[in-house]
């Protein structure tokens, strides 16, 4: 199995990415989105490993 390096997106980087798409968000909002995405990723990995 190949291991990929884990690269975290900072709230500032996410804000920049969203801004390019015309979406304006505060740093606090981007932090909350990243927290949610992290939790969803953990849940998905747990589901895959249960198979």
């Amino acid at each position: 199995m190949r291991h990929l390096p884990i690269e975290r997106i900072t709230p500032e980087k996410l804000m920049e990415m969203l801004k390019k798409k015309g979406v304006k968000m505060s740093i606090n909002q981007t932090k909350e989105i990243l927290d949610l995405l992290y939790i969803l990723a953990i849940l998905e990995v747990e589901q895959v490993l249960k198979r």
Side-chain angles (χ1 to χ4, degrees), residues 17-31:
M17 292 165 62
L18 291 170
K19 187 177 181 181
K20 287 181 183 178
K21 298 291 184 180
V23 179
K24 294 181 182 180
M25 289 193 172
S26 70
I27 290 291
N28 286 336
Q29 289 172 314
T30 58
K31 285 179 185 177

Side-chain angles (χ1 to χ4, degrees), residues 8-15 17-18 27-41:
R8 293 198 178 232
I9 298 175
T10 64
E12 293 81 9
K13 177 68 175 174
L14 178 57
M15 193 167 77
M17 292 165 62
L18 291 170
I27 290 291
N28 286 336
Q29 289 172 314
T30 58
K31 285 179 185 177
E32 289 181 21
I33 288 172
L34 290 172
D35 287 345
L36 174 62
L37 290 174
Y38 183 74
I39 290 167
L40 292 174

Side-chain angles (χ1 to χ4, degrees), residues 1-6:
M1 182 191 315
R2 186 173 68 150
H3 295 281
L4 300 174
I6 296 174

